Amino acid sequence: MNRAKTFRQMGFWLMAIIASVLLSGCGSDYVVLNPKGPVAETQYNLIMISVILCAIIIIPVLALTAFIVYRYRDTKDNKAPYKPDWAHSTTLEVIWWGIPVIIIAILGYFTVRDTYALKESPNQAVKPMTIQVTSLNWKWMFTYPEQNIATVNYLEIPAGVPVQFQLSADGPMNSFWVPELGGQIYAMSGMATELYLQADKPGEFYGRGANFTGEGFAHMEFKVEAKPQEEFDKWVQQVKNTTPVMTKEDYEELRKPGLTDKKTYSAFPEGLFEEIVMKHSHGHDMDYVMKKTMPATGQESGNKTDEASSTETHHHNH
């Protein structure tokens, strides 16, 4: 009777675990498993490949563990053979060494392949746009060097266009993350990191800081809106016509610790992102990331050329 009760309890807990795993995929709240762009899709596929390959090892090991515990249990009526002198089996050695080696080799291949692929623009046929991201206490500032506009705690991008994010911090290290579009990457003082993301279709996406930075960390959230290119261009023009210019004084106010609502600016100080990076870089060369900024046309292009020259001179002075 006790044995039957034990099996019923084991069955109950096993079903509860399986149900928890299966039901965790229901709903739209599991944004990591709901890719909306090519970068997130690549990472999702890598996650699934890793889960399958790990399951090939974990499930048999768990099953064998349960079998061995039951088969060789210490009871008077257990008739399992007792072989204290058994020491080696070539077949078993090949199985429990060969299978993991093969699985690790397969996982290594897909990981290396996708890691290198994610370092490049996900769509080589479309020119990427650049957005500079600065993590502040406790807010996100986005500067658009090609459009010469800036936003705080709000990000708008054109759908179907790869975006090269250049990231740094003017405060504690944080991590920039838009789960439905791709994995997170650190934003660190004195360094410029980069991340390519792309939204396949128009939509709204949830973004946040993923690295604890103190009291206001929980509020470091931002909304990402992907719109058709025409609507994005209209939004840029609207920002230019209806919002104030960000001054150096405005930025110094923003960088103070504290929370703030969504803000937009029709322009920002020339070379602001580069100054933020170089301020804490201690002479390290960050041009390998920042030189990728795509110049705009006309007057804005001229401004960016001057900005690049100014940054290079500033760098050499360091």
Side-chain angles (χ1 to χ4, degrees), residues 242-258:
T242 61
T243 62
V245 173
M246 178 194 293
T247 63
K248 281 290 184 69
E249 291 74 20
D250 292 329
Y251 174 71
E252 289 302 319
E253 191 65 29
L254 280 174
R255 68 185 296 270
K256 293 179 181 178

Side-chain angles (χ1 to χ4, degrees), residues 210-226:
N211 192 74
F212 183 70
T213 56
E215 179 183 358
F217 158 74
H219 301 281
M220 287 194 69
E221 302 175 340
F222 56 93
K223 182 171 72 172
V224 182
E225 284 201 52

Side-chain angles (χ1 to χ4, degrees), residues 22 37 41-42 44 55 58 64 99 119 144 153 169 179 195 197 237 242-243 263 266 280 311:
L22 294 177
E41 185 73 32
T42 299
Y44 171 82
I58 293 173
L64 283 171
I99 293 178
K119 287 292 293 179
Y144 295 66
N153 292 337
L195 174 69
L197 296 179
Q237 198 59 44
T242 61
T243 62
K263 294 179 181 291
S266 60
H280 304 288
T311 303

Side-chain angles (χ1 to χ4, degrees), residues 50-84:
S50 302
V51 169
I52 293 170
L53 291 175
C54 290
I56 292 173
I57 295 178
I58 293 173
I59 292 176
V61 168
L62 293 177
L64 283 171
T65 300
F67 170 76
I68 291 170
V69 169
Y70 175 75
R71 183 74 174 89
Y72 298 99
R73 66 197 183 281
D74 186 15
T75 59
K76 292 181 179 180
D77 59 344
N78 187 1
K79 297 180 180 180
Y82 177 60
K83 298 179 179 180

Side-chain angles (χ1 to χ4, degrees), residues 64 86 88-99:
L64 283 171
W86 183 87
H88 178 75
S89 170
T90 301
T91 301
L92 291 177
E93 291 284 350
V94 170
I95 291 173
W96 60 51
W97 284 107
I99 293 178

